[in-house]
Amino acid sequence: MKGVLITLEGIDGVGKSTQHRLLEQRLRETGLTCIVTREPGGTAIGEEVRQLLLKMREEEMALETEILLYAAARAQLYKELLRPALEAGKIVLCDRFIDSSLAYQGYGCGGDLNYIKKVNAGATEKLSPDLTLLFDLAPQEARQRRGNIDQKSEVSDRIENRPEDFHYRVREGYLKLAAANPVRIKLLDASLPAVLLLEKSWVFVKELLEKKELL
Ligand code: TYD
């Protein structure tokens, strides 16, 4: 496909949303247009699935259900937004993608990594990002940062309900994914000030866009 898919990953509270916004701004300042989206969600159907996934409820959702629902939202995003945009040569900035399922449902919850890969390959016709920016931060620091966000939101409630070691496993999972995919996944130190982190990310984004002759 002619376009480029750049994904942003990291545990909750690393400042991913800020980086997403800054990167989008930098792309626009450079004279490039980009499409921004997020997971789970990004489409009307995907946002409905997001509500299902992130809602607090009495009973626990089965891991298999969770894996399939994330993949279902992703399938919709792929069909409705990602494939057409990438075929049209657009730059897409996506907050989370398949690596999130591998890190959270796989490493974090103990789900079968090969199964998660297979289901998601089916959901996206084996789409793989051109570049993944992994924002890495110690879980205790991420927890502190999360303390500053709205504790009343559904997402933060659900996250805070998870045992502490869950976040450690997710982070370790991400680091394993980065070690296994050194060309695609770029590890970034999220403890750096936001503007400095943007400059570090931009080096990788610029390199990719030049390679694809988009810049
Ligand atoms: P997100 O909206 O990115 O929350 P935040 O902005 O706080 O990082 O993600 C919502 C939650 O969904 C987050 O805890 C990670 C989780 N998630 C998974 O567990 N698996 C997945 O495949 C995806 C895409 C997200």
Side-chain angles (χ1 to χ4, degrees), residues 5-7 97 99 127-132 184:
L5 175 62
I6 301 169
T7 59
F97 196 57
D99 294 313
L127 178 66
S128 175
D130 295 282
L131 170 68
T132 298
R184 174 175 68 87

Side-chain angles (χ1 to χ4, degrees), residues 127-175:
L127 178 66
S128 175
D130 295 282
L131 170 68
T132 298
L133 301 170
L134 171 56
F135 299 103
D136 181 56
L137 191 68
Q140 54 272 38
E141 210 174 314
R143 168 175 281 273
Q144 266 173 18
R145 288 194 187 179
R146 289 202 302 276
N148 301 329
I149 61 171
D150 180 16
Q151 292 299 323
K152 286 185 179 63
S153 80
E154 275 181 348
V155 175
S156 63
D157 278 354
R158 193 174 175 277
I159 292 161
E160 290 310 321
N161 267 3
R162 283 167 172 160
E164 190 58 32
D165 63 346
F166 175 79
H167 301 286
Y168 284 82
R169 288 199 301 275
V170 174
R171 187 215 194 180
E172 286 307 308
Y174 269 130
L175 294 177

Side-chain angles (χ1 to χ4, degrees), residues 10-13 16-17 38-40 50 54 66 70 74 95-98 100-101 104-105 149 155 158-159 162:
I11 61 169
D12 301 273
K16 196 164 45 61
S17 311
R38 69 159 179 186
E39 280 207 349
R50 181 185 177 91
L54 303 181
E66 208 176 290
Y70 279 114
R74 192 164 289 135
D95 198 334
R96 300 194 180 281
F97 196 57
I98 299 172
S100 280
S101 286
Y104 282 79
Q105 283 65 52
I149 61 171
V155 175
R158 193 174 175 277
I159 292 161
R162 283 167 172 160

Side-chain angles (χ1 to χ4, degrees), residues 63-64 67 102 104-116:
L63 177 59
E64 292 70 19
I67 291 169
L102 292 168
Y104 282 79
Q105 283 65 52
Y107 290 101
C109 304
D112 184 325
L113 294 171
N114 283 329
Y115 173 68
I116 297 170

